Amino acid sequence: MEPVISVRNLVKTYQLGEHQVQALRSVSLDVHKGEFVSVIGPSGSGKSTLMHILGCLDAPTSGQYLLDGKEVSKLSDDELSAVRNKQIGFVFQGFNLLTRTSALENVELPLLYGKENLSASERRKRAMDALAAVGLESRWEHHTNQLSGGQQQRVAIARALLNNPSILLADEPTGNLDSKTSLEVMDIFQKLQRERGITIVLITHEMDVAEYGSRIVSFKDGLIVSDVQNTQKATYTVETEVTVVVEELS
Amino acid sequence: MSRLARVSQINKTWHIASRSLRRNKLQSALTMTGMAIGVATVLAMMALGTGAQRAIQDQVRAAGMNMLIITAGNYQAQREAPPPDAIEMGKLQSPQPTLGDDFSLPRIHYAMPTASRLHTVLFHPEDDPFAVHDHPTARQRLGDSEAGLGAAATLTIADANEIRKISGVQYVSEGIHENVHVMNSDNKRWFTRVHGDDTVTPEIRRAWTFPHGRYFSASEERKHEQVVVLGVIVAQQLFGDANPVGKTITIWKQPFKVVGVIGSSSWLQTPDAGDDQFDAVYIPVTTMQSMLNLSKLNDITVTTVSTGDVTRVSKIVTTLLRQRHNIGGNSPDDFTVSTQASKALTKGSMRPEVAHAVTGNIAGLEKVTLDQLGKSLDRSSRTMTMLLVCIATVSLIVGGIGIMNIMLLSVTERTREIGIRRAVGAEEREVMAQFLMESVVLSIAGGLLGVFIGVAAALVISHLAHWSADVPFAAIAIAFGISTAVGIFFGYYPAREASRVPPLASLRYE
């Protein structure tokens, strides 16, 4: 089967003053439909850079990126916008929600930019459905600063899912969350993969988060150092929650 | 893109922009205030400026600078009729008379009663209704003469109608004037002037106000109705301070219904007993003609659209009336066209001979004085307009730069927001549209606010400074249109900057 994401010899170089920093040296990776790939590595290893390129937020210095068989470097800016709007959902470490804006309006945002012309009530309905999917329908009116970190990240996930993307990219989604909410968020990801067959690529530097993936890719100094299938997938169960609670208490 | 899609695109942009503006209330308020002050300044300046301009024009018109009065007859005290070889009016003598000629100074010469000219004193050609021309008929003349209009009642309503057709003529009013006793129902009497006039008279007398009621209407004039408008002096004499509208007064033993009272709004003219405008009553000229069985007019008052046009119009009127009255060759006019300038020159101190010599060339003189006056008025009003335009431009540029400044700041401040929008799929164009829409909405809202503030300011200033303010509708429309244009023009650059924010910006600017 053809991979959904296929990158070959991806290189990204930054100019930092007089120094050239090679964030990605030569990365090749294939992600197939329905996979849940955890990318793990220390900070500065280049995994975030890879993620931005995969999310069409940034362009590589050289190398090839095929998204659903299409050469991304040949897409126009408007086509890239459409990809970000429809095909890929992005979840950020810092949530990236609009401030002084209600949860509902934040979730609605992608619908304001698509080519679909939905009425205000249709937009609202779909945004409410997405909020319900992450269990936040009762908080739709709350402004982002009135929500906890976990709730904010769930709003961000609802926003990412709004246009039913085939790929969900998550850049350290649990980085700003405590361990309990982290687990809740990971559970949502796992459900999405299991129930909707969404392809997920997730970045983390914590191994216990990475364990939720079906495949673990390790990064170091801009290169992939290992790529293994994870057979003993972690799952969110009552037992794990109890373990977490016990750990927190001790 | 189909029309429907475009409309919904605009709707979406509007939705995004209005949410955004509400989110940034303080910023929006500041931008709007900047624009509002700009527009308010422009509008207040324009209002006060045009008000001042109008006030000057009104004073000039009130003083009659654009007015010419055509009086029936051509009789002037101590003046003889010109000899048959009289020089045509308006032209200087050329060639110059040679020395030794008996008539080297013809104008002064024929003004002196000599034996050879005596017959003209005894029998003025104009006094002979049969000899000069046949318009109007001798019978009518005699009838008018009996009615007290004098022998030379040569002007008719038909003449006035022809004058109305001359280009550059603003208003034409026919007039018959008499002295009468007016009496109220309590038999209180007052001796005053009655003017039979046209409905446009209030337009000619720009300094008139109506403390009570109105002027008589066109239909009242058409139906020869017995309605009367009182000058404020007459009203005071007959009714004191009470409102006389609806009451009846008696003129020539006939009842007349009072429809209005005329007062003065100009500081140049205060109503006074004995003056011709406010110690007078006005009735429709048609009523007066049918009541007194007249067909003639005493005078026709003409105003021109522009002050500098009086001389040209007076020439055309002269030619027209001479033609209509069948006056040919060197025969004298059977009417007199007079303007403020000629009145000023001939009235009072000047010796009759000199006055005559001067009035012989009056057209040229008028041209100098009136043209100069008209031109200097035009010049000063142009200067005023230029000044206003300059101030307006500066205020709008300041307002516009204010908008640009705040929008640019907001682009920097909102980099993260723009990045988020780009990350969820906003195209460059859509971000640009949002920011452009925001600045246009702000400047229109600011403009609207500015219109209110500006009009209010103009009214307050005019009230406090007793300066007339005039807010023309066009000024509001222009201020509004310009504020929109400023919003687009000065919002464009920040909007383009916003559209160039990269999608990754939301992560870099945290």
Short mmCIF file of all heavy atoms in Angstrom, two decimals, chain B residues 161-219:
data_model
loop_
_atom_site.label_atom_id
_atom_site.label_comp_id
_atom_site.label_asym_id
_atom_site.label_seq_id
_atom_site.Cartn_x
_atom_site.Cartn_y
_atom_site.Cartn_z
N ASN B 161 -42.11 88.09 -18.20
CA ASN B 161 -41.99 86.69 -18.60
C ASN B 161 -40.86 86.49 -19.60
O ASN B 161 -40.17 85.47 -19.57
CB ASN B 161 -43.30 86.18 -19.16
CG ASN B 161 -44.32 85.95 -18.07
OD1 ASN B 161 -43.94 85.77 -16.91
ND2 ASN B 161 -45.60 85.99 -18.42
N GLU B 162 -40.68 87.49 -20.50
CA GLU B 162 -39.58 87.38 -21.46
C GLU B 162 -38.23 87.49 -20.75
O GLU B 162 -37.29 86.79 -21.08
CB GLU B 162 -39.70 88.47 -22.54
CG GLU B 162 -40.78 88.18 -23.59
CD GLU B 162 -40.58 86.82 -24.26
OE1 GLU B 162 -39.45 86.53 -24.72
OE2 GLU B 162 -41.56 86.04 -24.31
N ILE B 163 -38.16 88.39 -19.76
CA ILE B 163 -36.90 88.57 -19.01
C ILE B 163 -36.54 87.29 -18.28
O ILE B 163 -35.38 86.92 -18.17
CB ILE B 163 -37.03 89.77 -18.03
CG1 ILE B 163 -37.12 91.06 -18.84
CG2 ILE B 163 -35.84 89.83 -17.08
CD1 ILE B 163 -37.50 92.28 -18.03
N ARG B 164 -37.57 86.57 -17.81
CA ARG B 164 -37.33 85.29 -17.11
C ARG B 164 -36.54 84.30 -17.96
O ARG B 164 -35.87 83.43 -17.46
CB ARG B 164 -38.65 84.63 -16.72
CG ARG B 164 -39.29 85.25 -15.51
CD ARG B 164 -40.36 84.37 -14.89
NE ARG B 164 -40.85 85.02 -13.69
CZ ARG B 164 -41.87 85.88 -13.67
NH1 ARG B 164 -42.53 86.13 -14.78
NH2 ARG B 164 -42.22 86.47 -12.54
N LYS B 165 -36.67 84.47 -19.29
CA LYS B 165 -36.02 83.49 -20.17
C LYS B 165 -34.54 83.79 -20.41
O LYS B 165 -33.83 82.96 -20.99
CB LYS B 165 -36.74 83.46 -21.53
CG LYS B 165 -38.16 82.92 -21.44
CD LYS B 165 -38.86 83.03 -22.77
CE LYS B 165 -40.34 82.69 -22.63
NZ LYS B 165 -41.09 83.17 -23.82
N ILE B 166 -34.07 84.96 -19.99
CA ILE B 166 -32.66 85.32 -20.22
C ILE B 166 -31.77 84.44 -19.35
O ILE B 166 -32.05 84.21 -18.17
CB ILE B 166 -32.42 86.81 -19.88
CG1 ILE B 166 -33.26 87.69 -20.80
CG2 ILE B 166 -30.94 87.16 -20.01
CD1 ILE B 166 -33.26 89.14 -20.41
N SER B 167 -30.69 83.95 -19.94
CA SER B 167 -29.79 83.09 -19.15
C SER B 167 -29.01 83.94 -18.15
O SER B 167 -28.65 85.09 -18.44
CB SER B 167 -28.83 82.34 -20.06
OG SER B 167 -27.81 83.21 -20.47
N GLY B 168 -28.78 83.40 -16.99
CA GLY B 168 -28.07 84.14 -15.94
C GLY B 168 -29.03 84.86 -15.02
O GLY B 168 -28.63 85.37 -13.99
N VAL B 169 -30.32 84.89 -15.39
CA VAL B 169 -31.32 85.53 -14.54
C VAL B 169 -31.78 84.53 -13.49
O VAL B 169 -32.05 83.37 -13.80
CB VAL B 169 -32.52 86.02 -15.37
CG1 VAL B 169 -33.71 86.36 -14.48
CG2 VAL B 169 -32.10 87.24 -16.17
N GLN B 170 -31.79 85.00 -12.23
CA GLN B 170 -32.17 84.10 -11.16
C GLN B 170 -33.67 84.24 -10.85
O GLN B 170 -34.42 83.30 -10.97
CB GLN B 170 -31.33 84.43 -9.93
CG GLN B 170 -31.48 83.46 -8.79
CD GLN B 170 -30.67 83.91 -7.59
OE1 GLN B 170 -30.42 85.10 -7.42
NE2 GLN B 170 -30.27 82.97 -6.77
N TYR B 171 -34.07 85.42 -10.43
CA TYR B 171 -35.46 85.64 -10.09
C TYR B 171 -35.96 86.91 -10.77
O TYR B 171 -35.20 87.86 -10.99
CB TYR B 171 -35.65 85.82 -8.58
CG TYR B 171 -35.26 84.61 -7.79
CD1 TYR B 171 -34.15 84.65 -6.95
CD2 TYR B 171 -36.00 83.44 -7.89
CE1 TYR B 171 -33.78 83.53 -6.22
CE2 TYR B 171 -35.64 82.32 -7.17
CZ TYR B 171 -34.54 82.37 -6.34
OH TYR B 171 -34.18 81.28 -5.62
N VAL B 172 -37.25 86.90 -11.09
CA VAL B 172 -37.87 88.10 -11.65
C VAL B 172 -39.14 88.33 -10.85
O VAL B 172 -39.93 87.41 -10.65
CB VAL B 172 -38.21 87.87 -13.15
CG1 VAL B 172 -38.97 89.07 -13.69
CG2 VAL B 172 -36.93 87.65 -13.95
N SER B 173 -39.30 89.54 -10.40
CA SER B 173 -40.51 89.86 -9.65
C SER B 173 -41.14 91.13 -10.21
O SER B 173 -40.48 92.14 -10.35
CB SER B 173 -40.18 90.04 -8.17
OG SER B 173 -41.34 90.41 -7.47
N GLU B 174 -42.44 91.02 -10.53
CA GLU B 174 -43.15 92.19 -11.01
C GLU B 174 -43.56 93.04 -9.82
O GLU B 174 -43.80 92.50 -8.74
CB GLU B 174 -44.42 91.79 -11.78
CG GLU B 174 -44.18 90.91 -12.98
CD GLU B 174 -44.25 89.42 -12.66
OE1 GLU B 174 -44.18 89.05 -11.47
OE2 GLU B 174 -44.36 88.64 -13.61
N GLY B 175 -43.64 94.33 -10.01
CA GLY B 175 -44.02 95.15 -8.88
C GLY B 175 -44.93 96.33 -9.25
O GLY B 175 -44.74 96.98 -10.27
N ILE B 176 -45.96 96.54 -8.42
CA ILE B 176 -46.76 97.77 -8.49
C ILE B 176 -46.77 98.31 -7.07
O ILE B 176 -46.90 97.55 -6.11
CB ILE B 176 -48.21 97.50 -8.94
CG1 ILE B 176 -48.23 96.67 -10.21
CG2 ILE B 176 -48.95 98.81 -9.12
CD1 ILE B 176 -49.63 96.25 -10.63
N HIS B 177 -46.60 99.58 -6.94
CA HIS B 177 -46.47 100.14 -5.60
C HIS B 177 -47.43 101.30 -5.42
O HIS B 177 -47.57 102.14 -6.29
CB HIS B 177 -45.02 100.59 -5.36
CG HIS B 177 -44.03 99.58 -5.84
ND1 HIS B 177 -43.78 98.42 -5.17
CD2 HIS B 177 -43.25 99.55 -6.95
CE1 HIS B 177 -42.89 97.70 -5.84
NE2 HIS B 177 -42.55 98.37 -6.92
N GLU B 178 -48.06 101.34 -4.30
CA GLU B 178 -49.03 102.39 -4.00
C GLU B 178 -48.92 102.78 -2.54
O GLU B 178 -48.43 102.00 -1.72
CB GLU B 178 -50.46 101.86 -4.24
CG GLU B 178 -50.86 101.82 -5.68
CD GLU B 178 -51.08 103.23 -6.24
OE1 GLU B 178 -51.79 104.02 -5.62
OE2 GLU B 178 -50.49 103.52 -7.29
N ASN B 179 -49.40 103.96 -2.23
CA ASN B 179 -49.53 104.33 -0.81
C ASN B 179 -50.98 104.10 -0.41
O ASN B 179 -51.90 104.49 -1.14
CB ASN B 179 -49.16 105.80 -0.60
CG ASN B 179 -47.69 106.02 -0.87
OD1 ASN B 179 -46.87 105.15 -0.62
ND2 ASN B 179 -47.36 107.19 -1.42
N VAL B 180 -51.19 103.46 0.71
CA VAL B 180 -52.58 103.17 1.11
C VAL B 180 -52.75 103.32 2.61
O VAL B 180 -51.79 103.35 3.37
CB VAL B 180 -52.97 101.71 0.76
CG1 VAL B 180 -53.11 101.51 -0.73
CG2 VAL B 180 -52.00 100.72 1.39
N HIS B 181 -54.02 103.39 2.99
CA HIS B 181 -54.37 103.24 4.39
C HIS B 181 -54.77 101.79 4.60
O HIS B 181 -55.61 101.26 3.87
CB HIS B 181 -55.56 104.14 4.76
CG HIS B 181 -55.14 105.55 4.99
ND1 HIS B 181 -54.50 105.96 6.13
CD2 HIS B 181 -55.25 106.66 4.21
CE1 HIS B 181 -54.23 107.23 6.06
NE2 HIS B 181 -54.67 107.70 4.89
N VAL B 182 -54.16 101.11 5.56
CA VAL B 182 -54.62 99.77 5.91
C VAL B 182 -55.31 99.88 7.26
O VAL B 182 -54.99 100.75 8.07
CB VAL B 182 -53.46 98.75 5.96
CG1 VAL B 182 -52.88 98.55 4.58
CG2 VAL B 182 -52.39 99.18 6.95
N MET B 183 -56.29 99.00 7.48
CA MET B 183 -57.11 99.13 8.67
C MET B 183 -57.42 97.75 9.21
O MET B 183 -57.70 96.83 8.44
CB MET B 183 -58.41 99.85 8.28
CG MET B 183 -59.20 100.38 9.43
SD MET B 183 -60.51 101.44 8.77
CE MET B 183 -61.66 100.25 8.15
N ASN B 184 -57.33 97.59 10.54
CA ASN B 184 -57.71 96.30 11.09
C ASN B 184 -59.18 96.32 11.50
O ASN B 184 -59.87 97.32 11.31
CB ASN B 184 -56.79 95.90 12.25
CG ASN B 184 -57.00 96.76 13.49
OD1 ASN B 184 -57.88 97.62 13.52
ND2 ASN B 184 -56.18 96.54 14.50
N SER B 185 -59.66 95.21 12.06
CA SER B 185 -61.09 95.10 12.35
C SER B 185 -61.54 96.08 13.44
O SER B 185 -62.71 96.38 13.58
CB SER B 185 -61.44 93.66 12.75
OG SER B 185 -60.53 93.23 13.75
N ASP B 186 -60.56 96.58 14.23
CA ASP B 186 -60.92 97.56 15.26
C ASP B 186 -60.83 98.99 14.73
O ASP B 186 -60.74 99.94 15.51
CB ASP B 186 -59.99 97.41 16.47
CG ASP B 186 -60.06 96.04 17.08
OD1 ASP B 186 -61.14 95.40 16.95
OD2 ASP B 186 -59.06 95.57 17.64
N ASN B 187 -60.77 99.08 13.40
CA ASN B 187 -60.66 100.39 12.75
C ASN B 187 -59.37 101.13 13.07
O ASN B 187 -59.31 102.35 13.00
CB ASN B 187 -61.85 101.30 13.09
CG ASN B 187 -63.10 100.81 12.38
OD1 ASN B 187 -63.01 100.08 11.38
ND2 ASN B 187 -64.25 101.21 12.89
N LYS B 188 -58.39 100.37 13.46
CA LYS B 188 -57.09 101.00 13.68
C LYS B 188 -56.42 101.16 12.33
O LYS B 188 -56.35 100.21 11.56
CB LYS B 188 -56.25 100.13 14.61
CG LYS B 188 -55.04 100.87 15.13
CD LYS B 188 -54.42 100.15 16.30
CE LYS B 188 -53.22 100.97 16.79
NZ LYS B 188 -52.35 100.19 17.62
N ARG B 189 -55.96 102.39 12.03
CA ARG B 189 -55.44 102.64 10.69
C ARG B 189 -53.95 102.90 10.71
O ARG B 189 -53.38 103.34 11.70
CB ARG B 189 -56.16 103.88 10.10
CG ARG B 189 -57.61 103.64 9.81
CD ARG B 189 -58.36 104.97 9.80
NE ARG B 189 -58.06 105.73 8.60
CZ ARG B 189 -58.79 105.62 7.48
NH1 ARG B 189 -59.80 104.80 7.42
NH2 ARG B 189 -58.47 106.35 6.44
N TRP B 190 -53.34 102.64 9.57
CA TRP B 190 -51.93 102.94 9.41
C TRP B 190 -51.69 103.26 7.96
O TRP B 190 -52.16 102.57 7.06
CB TRP B 190 -51.09 101.72 9.85
CG TRP B 190 -49.60 101.93 9.77
CD1 TRP B 190 -48.74 101.35 8.89
CD2 TRP B 190 -48.80 102.76 10.59
NE1 TRP B 190 -47.47 101.76 9.09
CE2 TRP B 190 -47.47 102.65 10.15
CE3 TRP B 190 -49.08 103.63 11.68
CZ2 TRP B 190 -46.40 103.34 10.74
CZ3 TRP B 190 -48.03 104.32 12.25
CH2 TRP B 190 -46.70 104.16 11.79
N PHE B 191 -50.95 104.35 7.72
CA PHE B 191 -50.66 104.75 6.34
C PHE B 191 -49.33 104.12 5.93
O PHE B 191 -48.31 104.31 6.60
CB PHE B 191 -50.57 106.28 6.26
CG PHE B 191 -50.42 106.77 4.85
CD1 PHE B 191 -51.46 106.59 3.91
CD2 PHE B 191 -49.25 107.39 4.43
CE1 PHE B 191 -51.32 107.05 2.62
CE2 PHE B 191 -49.11 107.84 3.12
CZ PHE B 191 -50.15 107.66 2.22
N THR B 192 -49.36 103.36 4.86
CA THR B 192 -48.14 102.61 4.50
C THR B 192 -48.08 102.39 2.99
O THR B 192 -48.90 102.92 2.24
CB THR B 192 -48.09 101.28 5.28
OG1 THR B 192 -46.84 100.67 5.07
CG2 THR B 192 -49.19 100.32 4.82
N ARG B 193 -47.09 101.60 2.59
CA ARG B 193 -46.93 101.26 1.17
C ARG B 193 -47.56 99.90 0.92
O ARG B 193 -47.44 98.99 1.75
CB ARG B 193 -45.43 101.14 0.83
CG ARG B 193 -44.69 102.44 0.86
CD ARG B 193 -44.90 103.26 -0.36
NE ARG B 193 -44.10 102.78 -1.52
CZ ARG B 193 -44.28 103.25 -2.75
NH1 ARG B 193 -45.23 104.16 -2.98
NH2 ARG B 193 -43.54 102.81 -3.73
N VAL B 194 -48.19 99.73 -0.23
CA VAL B 194 -48.61 98.40 -0.62
C VAL B 194 -47.82 98.02 -1.86
O VAL B 194 -47.68 98.81 -2.79
CB VAL B 194 -50.14 98.30 -0.84
CG1 VAL B 194 -50.63 99.27 -1.89
CG2 VAL B 194 -50.52 96.87 -1.22
N HIS B 195 -47.25 96.84 -1.79
CA HIS B 195 -46.50 96.32 -2.94
C HIS B 195 -47.26 95.16 -3.55
O HIS B 195 -47.56 94.18 -2.88
CB HIS B 195 -45.11 95.80 -2.52
CG HIS B 195 -44.25 96.84 -1.88
ND1 HIS B 195 -43.83 97.95 -2.55
CD2 HIS B 195 -43.73 96.93 -0.64
CE1 HIS B 195 -43.08 98.70 -1.74
NE2 HIS B 195 -43.00 98.09 -0.56
N GLY B 196 -47.57 95.29 -4.83
CA GLY B 196 -48.08 94.14 -5.57
C GLY B 196 -46.86 93.41 -6.11
O GLY B 196 -46.08 93.99 -6.87
N ASP B 197 -46.65 92.17 -5.65
CA ASP B 197 -45.37 91.51 -5.92
C ASP B 197 -45.57 90.08 -6.40
O ASP B 197 -46.65 89.53 -6.30
CB ASP B 197 -44.52 91.49 -4.63
CG ASP B 197 -43.47 92.59 -4.67
OD1 ASP B 197 -43.16 93.09 -5.77
OD2 ASP B 197 -42.96 92.94 -3.58
N ASP B 198 -44.47 89.53 -6.84
CA ASP B 198 -44.46 88.13 -7.27
C ASP B 198 -44.08 87.25 -6.08
O ASP B 198 -43.52 87.72 -5.10
CB ASP B 198 -43.42 87.97 -8.40
CG ASP B 198 -43.50 86.62 -9.06
OD1 ASP B 198 -44.30 86.49 -10.00
OD2 ASP B 198 -42.77 85.71 -8.63
N THR B 199 -44.35 85.96 -6.20
CA THR B 199 -44.06 85.03 -5.10
C THR B 199 -42.56 84.87 -4.82
O THR B 199 -42.18 84.39 -3.77
CB THR B 199 -44.62 83.62 -5.39
OG1 THR B 199 -44.20 83.25 -6.70
CG2 THR B 199 -46.12 83.60 -5.30
N VAL B 200 -41.71 85.24 -5.78
CA VAL B 200 -40.27 85.02 -5.56
C VAL B 200 -39.63 86.12 -4.73
O VAL B 200 -38.45 86.02 -4.40
CB VAL B 200 -39.48 84.87 -6.89
CG1 VAL B 200 -39.97 83.68 -7.67
CG2 VAL B 200 -39.55 86.14 -7.71
N THR B 201 -40.37 87.14 -4.40
CA THR B 201 -39.77 88.27 -3.67
C THR B 201 -38.95 87.85 -2.45
O THR B 201 -37.86 88.36 -2.24
CB THR B 201 -40.86 89.29 -3.30
OG1 THR B 201 -41.59 89.57 -4.48
CG2 THR B 201 -40.25 90.56 -2.75
N PRO B 202 -39.44 86.89 -1.61
CA PRO B 202 -38.60 86.49 -0.46
C PRO B 202 -37.25 85.92 -0.87
O PRO B 202 -36.28 86.01 -0.13
CB PRO B 202 -39.45 85.41 0.24
CG PRO B 202 -40.83 85.64 -0.22
CD PRO B 202 -40.73 86.20 -1.60
N GLU B 203 -37.18 85.32 -2.09
CA GLU B 203 -35.91 84.80 -2.57
C GLU B 203 -34.97 85.94 -2.92
O GLU B 203 -33.76 85.83 -2.77
CB GLU B 203 -36.11 83.91 -3.79
CG GLU B 203 -37.07 82.75 -3.59
CD GLU B 203 -36.55 81.75 -2.58
OE1 GLU B 203 -35.31 81.66 -2.40
OE2 GLU B 203 -37.39 81.08 -1.95
N ILE B 204 -35.52 87.01 -3.42
CA ILE B 204 -34.70 88.18 -3.77
C ILE B 204 -34.25 88.90 -2.50
O ILE B 204 -33.10 89.28 -2.36
CB ILE B 204 -35.50 89.12 -4.70
CG1 ILE B 204 -35.80 88.41 -6.03
CG2 ILE B 204 -34.72 90.41 -4.93
CD1 ILE B 204 -36.73 89.19 -6.95
N ARG B 205 -35.20 89.07 -1.60
CA ARG B 205 -34.86 89.71 -0.32
C ARG B 205 -34.33 88.64 0.61
O ARG B 205 -35.07 88.07 1.42
CB ARG B 205 -36.11 90.35 0.29
CG ARG B 205 -36.83 91.30 -0.64
CD ARG B 205 -36.08 92.60 -0.77
NE ARG B 205 -36.85 93.56 -1.57
CZ ARG B 205 -36.38 94.73 -1.93
NH1 ARG B 205 -35.17 95.11 -1.56
NH2 ARG B 205 -37.11 95.55 -2.65
N ARG B 206 -33.04 88.35 0.48
CA ARG B 206 -32.47 87.23 1.23
C ARG B 206 -32.50 87.44 2.74
O ARG B 206 -32.42 86.51 3.50
CB ARG B 206 -31.01 86.99 0.80
CG ARG B 206 -30.90 86.53 -0.62
CD ARG B 206 -31.63 85.22 -0.80
NE ARG B 206 -31.06 84.19 0.04
CZ ARG B 206 -30.33 83.19 -0.42
NH1 ARG B 206 -30.11 83.07 -1.70
NH2 ARG B 206 -29.84 82.29 0.39
N ALA B 207 -32.60 88.69 3.14
CA ALA B 207 -32.51 88.97 4.57
C ALA B 207 -33.87 88.95 5.26
O ALA B 207 -34.02 89.40 6.37
CB ALA B 207 -31.82 90.32 4.79
N TRP B 208 -34.86 88.41 4.56
CA TRP B 208 -36.19 88.33 5.17
C TRP B 208 -36.35 87.08 6.02
O TRP B 208 -35.84 86.02 5.67
CB TRP B 208 -37.25 88.28 4.07
CG TRP B 208 -37.63 89.63 3.53
CD1 TRP B 208 -37.05 90.81 3.84
CD2 TRP B 208 -38.67 89.89 2.58
NE1 TRP B 208 -37.66 91.82 3.14
CE2 TRP B 208 -38.65 91.28 2.36
CE3 TRP B 208 -39.58 89.11 1.91
CZ2 TRP B 208 -39.54 91.90 1.47
CZ3 TRP B 208 -40.47 89.72 1.03
CH2 TRP B 208 -40.44 91.11 0.81
N THR B 209 -37.08 87.23 7.10
CA THR B 209 -37.52 86.04 7.83
C THR B 209 -39.03 86.16 8.01
O THR B 209 -39.60 87.24 7.82
CB THR B 209 -36.89 85.93 9.23
OG1 THR B 209 -37.21 87.12 9.95
CG2 THR B 209 -35.40 85.74 9.15
N PHE B 210 -39.63 85.07 8.40
CA PHE B 210 -41.07 85.09 8.64
C PHE B 210 -41.34 84.73 10.09
O PHE B 210 -41.45 83.56 10.43
CB PHE B 210 -41.79 84.12 7.69
CG PHE B 210 -41.82 84.63 6.27
CD1 PHE B 210 -40.76 84.37 5.41
CD2 PHE B 210 -42.87 85.41 5.83
CE1 PHE B 210 -40.77 84.86 4.12
CE2 PHE B 210 -42.88 85.90 4.53
CZ PHE B 210 -41.83 85.63 3.67
N PRO B 211 -41.41 85.72 10.98
CA PRO B 211 -41.72 85.42 12.38
C PRO B 211 -43.10 84.75 12.52
O PRO B 211 -43.31 83.96 13.43
CB PRO B 211 -41.68 86.77 13.08
CG PRO B 211 -41.66 87.80 12.01
CD PRO B 211 -41.18 87.16 10.76
N HIS B 212 -44.01 85.07 11.62
CA HIS B 212 -45.32 84.41 11.62
C HIS B 212 -45.68 84.07 10.19
O HIS B 212 -45.41 84.86 9.27
CB HIS B 212 -46.42 85.33 12.16
CG HIS B 212 -46.19 85.76 13.58
ND1 HIS B 212 -46.20 84.89 14.63
CD2 HIS B 212 -45.93 86.99 14.10
CE1 HIS B 212 -45.95 85.54 15.75
NE2 HIS B 212 -45.77 86.83 15.45
N GLY B 213 -46.29 82.92 10.00
CA GLY B 213 -46.89 82.59 8.70
C GLY B 213 -45.89 82.47 7.58
O GLY B 213 -44.76 82.04 7.78
N ARG B 214 -46.28 82.88 6.40
CA ARG B 214 -45.52 82.63 5.18
C ARG B 214 -45.80 83.72 4.17
O ARG B 214 -46.60 84.62 4.42
CB ARG B 214 -45.97 81.29 4.60
CG ARG B 214 -47.49 81.27 4.38
CD ARG B 214 -47.99 80.03 3.69
NE ARG B 214 -49.45 80.05 3.62
CZ ARG B 214 -50.15 80.68 2.68
NH1 ARG B 214 -49.53 81.34 1.72
NH2 ARG B 214 -51.47 80.67 2.70
N TYR B 215 -45.13 83.62 3.02
CA TYR B 215 -45.43 84.52 1.92
C TYR B 215 -46.61 83.96 1.14
O TYR B 215 -46.92 82.77 1.27
CB TYR B 215 -44.19 84.64 1.02
CG TYR B 215 -44.13 85.95 0.26
CD1 TYR B 215 -43.93 87.14 0.95
CD2 TYR B 215 -44.28 85.98 -1.11
CE1 TYR B 215 -43.89 88.35 0.27
CE2 TYR B 215 -44.24 87.17 -1.81
CZ TYR B 215 -44.04 88.37 -1.11
OH TYR B 215 -44.00 89.54 -1.79
N PHE B 216 -47.27 84.77 0.33
CA PHE B 216 -48.39 84.20 -0.43
C PHE B 216 -47.87 83.24 -1.49
O PHE B 216 -46.73 83.31 -1.92
CB PHE B 216 -49.28 85.29 -1.04
CG PHE B 216 -48.55 86.34 -1.82
CD1 PHE B 216 -48.14 86.11 -3.12
CD2 PHE B 216 -48.29 87.58 -1.24
CE1 PHE B 216 -47.47 87.09 -3.83
CE2 PHE B 216 -47.62 88.56 -1.96
CZ PHE B 216 -47.20 88.31 -3.25
N SER B 217 -48.73 82.28 -1.85
CA SER B 217 -48.28 81.17 -2.69
C SER B 217 -48.58 81.45 -4.16
O SER B 217 -49.29 82.40 -4.51
CB SER B 217 -48.98 79.89 -2.27
OG SER B 217 -50.36 79.98 -2.62
N ALA B 218 -48.01 80.59 -5.00
CA ALA B 218 -48.20 80.73 -6.44
C ALA B 218 -49.68 80.57 -6.81
O ALA B 218 -50.19 81.28 -7.69
CB ALA B 218 -47.36 79.71 -7.18
N SER B 219 -50.35 79.65 -6.11
CA SER B 219 -51.76 79.43 -6.47
C SER B 219 -52.60 80.62 -6.03
O SER B 219 -53.54 81.01 -6.71
CB SER B 219 -52.26 78.11 -5.88
OG SER B 219 -52.79 78.31 -4.59
#
